[in-house]
Amino acid sequence: MLPMGQQKLGIIDSGVGGFSVVRELLRQDSSLDILYIGDQLYCPYGPKKPDFIRQRVAELVDYLLSQGAEAVAIACNSATIHAISFLRERYDIPIIGMEPGVKPAANQTKTGIIAVLATEASLSGEKFHRLIAEHGNRIRVITRPCPEMVDLVEAGELTGEKPRQILSRILAPLLEEKADQFVLGCTHFPFLKAIIADLLPHNCEIIDTSQAVVRHIREQLKTLEHANGSEIAKLWLFSSADEKQLQRQFGQLCPESTGSIVDCSSIT
Ligand code: DGL
């Protein structure tokens, strides 16, 4: 168990996608200490079966509890969609999940057509279908599984010709269909936002819910956060593959926050 003191928030993703949530927490000066697991041994989750995702994420929550986590954010849309109800029944702590921004996209579209970029696991989940049924009934929703985008972010390929070509192949048919809202339905994708913005015409918008999600997490965990006074958040990194690699990836994706890292270690 890690040292007591600050209240700890566990954060889980298949890899580095959840860093988009960590980055936003630190930007908003949250004082919650963070225990972050990148389950890179099993990354990507996108092509995995729902049962596998559920069981694996429960193991990771058990681990976080053993390390003193008092709440957990599932910073992964795929795991949220397939595991959140199961986790909430199983654990007696706050478990917070992600939700693709279908609702804001539906409210903002002028063409009546929105595109959701996510993983195969997310797009096939019942929880996702319910979200579309609730907010997408007066518009057309085009879904596009994008495993290539997860690979790019895990490999740190965020700029240059390769990601540009991959992204333009993904976006071109969606633009032809007249989509004008592009929902980033996977926590890895905000790291490709600059390149996506560059490829989209001016009438199009990118729906990135990272800020809203973090506001929601902080609101839900207000009492934990206030218990810490004004101390700066600390970050512990755990990888099921190579912890040094995860630390390097954090340095690339969140360069302004490397001072928060206290330690990085491996888990099984
Ligand atoms: N970052 C994840 C998500 O939000 C998972 C990506 C993957 O492992 O396929 O869905």
Side-chain angles (χ1 to χ4, degrees), residues 13-14 17 43-47 75-78 119 122 150 185-188:
D13 181 51
S14 60
C43 186
Y45 280 179
C76 171
N77 289 268
S78 314
T119 68
S122 292
V150 176
C186 168
T187 51
H188 280 74

Side-chain angles (χ1 to χ4, degrees), residues 152-221:
L152 284 174
V153 176
E154 285 295 319
E157 294 179 306
L158 311 179
T159 54
E161 252 332 277
K162 184 176 169 189
R164 220 184 146 77
Q165 274 179 17
I166 293 177
L167 261 316
S168 56
R169 265 204 307 275
I170 292 171
L171 299 174
L174 303 169
L175 288 169
E176 246 168 63
E177 300 263 14
K178 304 262 181 302
D180 68 346
Q181 306 292 312
F182 291 78
V183 177
L184 305 184
C186 168
T187 51
H188 280 74
F189 299 172
F191 293 111
L192 293 166
K193 206 166 150 183
I195 225 162
I196 298 173
D198 208 39
L199 290 165
L200 289 178
H202 291 307
N203 67 316
C204 293
E205 283 177 76
I206 301 172
I207 310 292
D208 171 8
T209 48
S210 318
Q211 279 187 17
V213 159
V214 166
R215 276 198 300 274
H216 175 69
I217 292 175
R218 299 187 69 197
E219 182 60 34
Q220 295 287 303
L221 305 180

Side-chain angles (χ1 to χ4, degrees), residues 15-263:
V16 297
F19 287 163
S20 58
V21 173
V22 174
R23 176 174 68 175
E24 194 50 44
L25 269 165
L26 298 174
R27 273 185 189 158
Q28 290 185 20
D29 289 329
S30 158
S31 64
L32 287 164
D33 279 350
I34 300 166
L35 309 175
Y36 184 93
I37 298 183
D39 193 17
Q40 294 175 301
L41 186 61
Y42 295 104
C43 186
Y45 280 179
K48 305 263 186 316
K49 296 243 173 355
D51 278 355
F52 173 86
I53 296 175
R54 253 189 308 276
Q55 289 309 325
R56 179 63 186 163
V57 175
E59 280 170 29
L60 300 178
V61 173
D62 286 340
Y63 182 78
L64 288 170
L65 290 176
S66 77
Q67 297 298 311
E70 285 162 81
V72 172
I74 309 296
C76 171
N77 289 268
S78 314
T80 299
I81 283 171
H82 292 290
I84 198 106
S85 318
F86 171 75
L87 296 171
R88 284 183 178 146
E89 268 172 34
R90 190 174 155 135
Y91 299 99
D92 199 18
I93 55 163
I95 311 253
I96 301 160
M98 303 293 114
E99 183 175 282
V102 171
K103 185 178 173 188
N107 289 337
Q108 281 164 220
T109 180
K110 304 229 163 33
T111 60
I113 300 164
I114 73 165
V116 182
L117 313 177
T119 68
E120 207 184 320
S122 292
L123 298 174
S124 63
E126 214 186 294
K127 195 172 162 61
F128 179 73
H129 293 141
R130 280 203 302 272
L131 184 70
I132 299 294
E134 194 179 342
H135 301 293
N137 47 1
R138 290 208 306 273
I139 55 160
R140 185 166 158 232
V141 181
I142 309 174
T143 58
R144 167 65 155 93
C146 303
E148 329 74 315
M149 288 171 65
V150 176
D151 294 344
L152 284 174
V153 176
E154 285 295 319
E157 294 179 306
L158 311 179
T159 54
E161 252 332 277
K162 184 176 169 189
R164 220 184 146 77
Q165 274 179 17
I166 293 177
L167 261 316
S168 56
R169 265 204 307 275
I170 292 171
L171 299 174
L174 303 169
L175 288 169
E176 246 168 63
E177 300 263 14
K178 304 262 181 302
D180 68 346
Q181 306 292 312
F182 291 78
V183 177
L184 305 184
C186 168
T187 51
H188 280 74
F189 299 172
F191 293 111
L192 293 166
K193 206 166 150 183
I195 225 162
I196 298 173
D198 208 39
L199 290 165
L200 289 178
H202 291 307
N203 67 316
C204 293
E205 283 177 76
I206 301 172
I207 310 292
D208 171 8
T209 48
S210 318
Q211 279 187 17
V213 159
V214 166
R215 276 198 300 274
H216 175 69
I217 292 175
R218 299 187 69 197
E219 182 60 34
Q220 295 287 303
L221 305 180
K222 215 162 32 198
T223 50
L224 291 187
E225 186 144 17
H226 285 170
N228 293 332
S230 61
E231 282 207 54
I232 291 164
K234 297 190 204 65
L235 172 64
W236 282 263
L237 295 174
F238 301 91
S239 173
S240 52
D242 179 346
E243 73 276 13
K244 291 278 173 242
Q245 167 73 1
L246 186 66
Q247 187 174 10
R248 279 192 294 276
Q249 288 170 293
F250 186 80
Q252 187 201 0
L253 297 169
C254 308
E256 66 288 1
S257 303
T258 49
S260 299
I261 300 176
V262 177
D263 195 13

